[in-house]
DNA sequence: CCTGAAATTGCTACGGT
DNA sequence: ACCGTAGCAATTTCAGG
């Protein structure tokens, strides 16, 4: 890894192999990566520390299989706000709705764009009617329901 | 954890503590969870194995900090297909565009709805013009650019 | 479903090239 | 920047209540 004077970072081949292994499985053992690359475990360990310090490696999380827990409906909702001033309050209200798992402030048609995870369509309707559309400043919403997720991945470093 | 005869799953309090700890940090040590709950490491280990076998625990991944790697633009693109028949081929073509990190088959206005990660707006324009809009069967697209991500989380079990 | 002990594996610090 | 060693901590297996 090389850090230029303009805050950009150059990863070499070994860094990329490390990152790809950890992206796929955060529990990949250092020794396994070391064997694959052909250097010592210590070297890999030192590189990982550097990548962590450079803030390139972020969180390590366990993803739950929500379908197994009964969450089978994913939807996106475009939110039209009366005035952008309501943005902060709207986000605060949205934080209280656990089904909202992502929210973005956006350009274009919508002011706020959110991702929702629900058990089924009835649950989604209830979240929309009794949750989201009750939030102050929301004019109207447009809902996009996902029938199938076809791609889900990270970008390779 | 209890599995009813209708394929639904009941998690007890200990399961939920385990899952929440691992969701936040997949590297949380078993022994730490064990101390918090007040049982042996072995018991926690066995429960984790069960949750894995029940497919409730999914992947454990390391998230990269894409901003540190120069990726600063997130966008969503709604895709209008001429005919739904083109869906499979379109997804196959999209798999070849690494900037596309999520894709959904959806109801509503759009046929396909995708999430894109780019370095900057020029990069985004290039992906749209030279990548996505070249795919066979795509009539037109609508782009929503995220200015700020305000919420990002998982649902609690 | 739990425990405790033993075996295994992996992490991390240190000294050196 | 990398290596080897060695001590330590954690995971995982096993026998048993």
């Amino acid at each position: 890894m090389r850090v230029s004077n303009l805050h950009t970072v150059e990863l070499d081949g070994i860094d990329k192999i490390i990152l790809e292994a950890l992206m796929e499985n955060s529990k990949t053992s250092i020794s396994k990566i070391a064997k694959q690359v052909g250097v010592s475990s210590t070297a890999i360990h030192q590189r990982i520390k550097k990548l962590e310090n450079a803030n390139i490696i972020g969180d390590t999380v366990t993803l739950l299989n929500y379908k197994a827990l009964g969450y089978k409906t994913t939807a996106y909702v475009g939110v039209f706000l009366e005035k952008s001033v309501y943005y902060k309050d709207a986000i605060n209200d949205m934080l209280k709705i656990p089904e909202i798992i992502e929210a973005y402030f956006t350009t274009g048609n919508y002011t706020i764009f959110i991702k929702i995870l629900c058990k089924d369509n009835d649950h989604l309707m209830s979240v929309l009617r009794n949750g989201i559309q009750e939030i102050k400043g929301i004019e109207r919403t447009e809902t996009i329901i996902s029938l199938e997720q076809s791609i889900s991945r990270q970008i390779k470093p």
Side-chain angles (χ1 to χ4, degrees), chain A:
Chain A
M1 190 181 80
R2 258 197 57 218
V3 181
S4 86
N5 46 7
L6 282 154
H7 309 286
T8 58
V9 171
E10 302 229 0
L11 306 170
D12 69 14
I14 298 182
D15 292 323
K16 288 183 184 173
I17 292 174
I18 293 172
L19 291 176
E20 285 183 28
L22 295 180
M23 282 163 68
E24 198 192 306
N25 179 2
S26 65
K27 291 196 161 68
T28 313
S29 73
I30 292 179
S31 52
K32 189 177 165 192
I33 301 174
K35 271 171 205 156
Q36 187 188 337
V37 179
V39 298
S40 72
S41 293
T42 316
I44 302 294
H45 177 244
Q46 288 165 344
R47 277 173 180 263
I48 291 178
K49 275 277 166 280
K50 274 202 184 172
L51 292 164
E52 284 170 355
N53 291 336
N55 205 29
I56 289 168
I57 288 181
D59 293 339
T60 62
V61 301
T62 297
L63 304 175
L64 299 197
N65 181 1
Y66 284 107
K67 281 188 187 161
L69 289 170
Y71 287 85
K72 313 207 173 185
T73 300
T74 302
Y76 284 91
V77 179
V79 175
F80 297 83
L81 277 191
E82 286 166 22
K83 299 174 189 167
S84 299
V85 203
Y86 293 133
Y87 174 68
K88 269 201 168 174
D89 288 338
I91 293 292
N92 272 331
D93 288 341
M94 286 178 180
L95 280 168
K96 294 173 199 145
I97 303 175
E99 289 88 350
I100 298 178
I101 54 175
E102 296 177 26
Y104 304 89
F105 186 48
T106 56
T107 66
N109 274 335
Y110 313 126
T111 320
I112 302 176
F113 192 61
I114 63 184
K115 181 175 181 177
I116 305 186
L117 194 52
C118 291
K119 303 212 172 201
D120 50 37
N121 280 352
D122 285 348
H123 184 192
L124 172 61
M125 289 308 149
S126 152
V127 169
L128 285 170
R129 288 258 246 297
N130 310 321
I132 293 165
Q133 283 161 3
E134 295 292 310
I135 293 173
K136 191 189 161 199
I138 290 186
E139 205 174 284
R140 64 191 185 86
T141 60
E142 270 182 26
T143 305
I144 298 166
I145 298 179
S146 160
L147 302 173
E148 180 193 321
Q149 178 156 13
S150 307
I151 299 179
S152 173
R153 62 183 177 190
Q154 294 195 64
I155 283 196
K156 293 202 177 182

